[in-house]
Amino acid sequence: ARRQRQMCIRDRNKKVLFIVQTAIIAALYAALTYAQNFLLPGTTSAAVQFRVSEALNVLALFTPAAIPGLTLGCVLSNLYNIGSGLPLDMIFGSLATLGATAAMYFLRDVKIKNYPLLSLLMPAVFNGVVIGWEIEVFFIDGKFNFVSFLTQGGLVALGELGVMLVLGTILYYVIVGRKIDKKIFKKVSE
């Protein structure tokens, strides 16, 4: 009975830790996006956006809590875009984040010389396709044009690639180098 009680407490603690990590990641993402948009208006929602908070997608390589955390953070940060005439971005941008972070988590062990390149490409792929489609269908005369879709999606993917391959890579190596992944994230993913 004691062992069963200890297991129950351990499970409850893991759930609480998961919720706490999710909330902290969501808050970090939203705060970084709001701060960037305050300091550099338009850089978080332009066609070629360089949203610094997107580097936090790297956290999906270390904890499953990053998947709902980053998705919720994206929803919260895109609330700002509703007032800018972009209400659909809250839905489609958040779905792109959900897909990208889930793919990153499932591909986290696929590495090229200890570098998770395939995972780091997922935000560019998902955002390029989803947001490119959103822009093409809802913001450019309502008709789908494949060449225009490739252009819009390519511009979105380009900004995402810049963030992930520069800032995301730096964040990844800081987390691994300082063993932050072992200190903070290990207990949730066990």
Side-chain angles (χ1 to χ4, degrees):
R2 182 177 181 197
R3 183 180 180 121
Q4 191 174 21
R5 193 174 87 230
Q6 286 175 331
M7 287 179 59
C8 184
I9 291 170
R10 191 173 335 160
D11 287 344
R12 185 181 46 161
N13 288 345
K14 283 175 82 172
K15 287 177 187 174
V16 169
L17 184 59
F18 183 90
I19 291 168
V20 168
Q21 284 184 1
T22 296
I24 290 171
I25 291 168
L28 276 172
Y29 185 99
L32 282 172
T33 304
Y34 282 128
Q36 179 183 345
N37 205 48
F38 178 75
L39 296 171
L40 302 165
T43 59
T44 64
S45 59
V48 181
Q49 56 184 267
F50 196 85
R51 198 180 269 196
V52 173
S53 54
E54 285 289 298
L56 294 175
N57 284 328
V58 165
L59 299 177
L61 298 173
F62 304 106
T63 177
I67 299 167
L70 291 163
T71 303
L72 179 59
C74 188
V75 168
L76 294 172
S77 63
N78 283 341
L79 283 172
Y80 173 82
N81 292 337
I82 289 176
S84 306
L86 299 170
L88 295 172
D89 203 38
M90 189 170 76
I91 297 164
F92 293 111
S94 303
L95 288 173
T97 298
L98 175 63
T101 54
M104 289 179 77
Y105 182 76
F106 290 116
L107 293 169
R108 69 189 179 279
D109 294 327
V110 177
K111 296 182 180 159
I112 300 168
K113 295 185 179 182
N114 291 322
Y115 182 67
L117 177 63
L118 190 58
S119 292
L120 294 178
L121 295 176
M122 291 299 106
V125 171
F126 277 84
N127 281 287
V129 171
V130 174
I131 305 306
W133 174 84
E134 175 191 357
I135 292 169
E136 182 59 29
V137 171
F138 296 106
F139 299 104
I140 301 183
D141 84 39
K143 295 179 186 172
F144 186 83
N145 178 299
F146 189 69
V147 173
S148 180
F149 161 72
L150 289 178
T151 303
Q152 300 305 324
L155 290 172
V156 171
L158 185 65
E160 198 70 39
L161 274 174
V163 171
M164 292 309 299
L165 296 180
V166 176
L167 299 178
T169 296
I170 292 168
L171 183 58
Y172 173 78
Y173 281 117
V174 166
I175 290 170
V176 171
R178 297 192 179 260
K179 295 183 174 41
I180 295 169
D181 55 327
K182 306 282 189 250
K183 295 174 187 172
I184 296 176
F185 300 123
K186 192 66 175 170
K187 292 183 180 181
V188 169
S189 36
E190 287 177 340

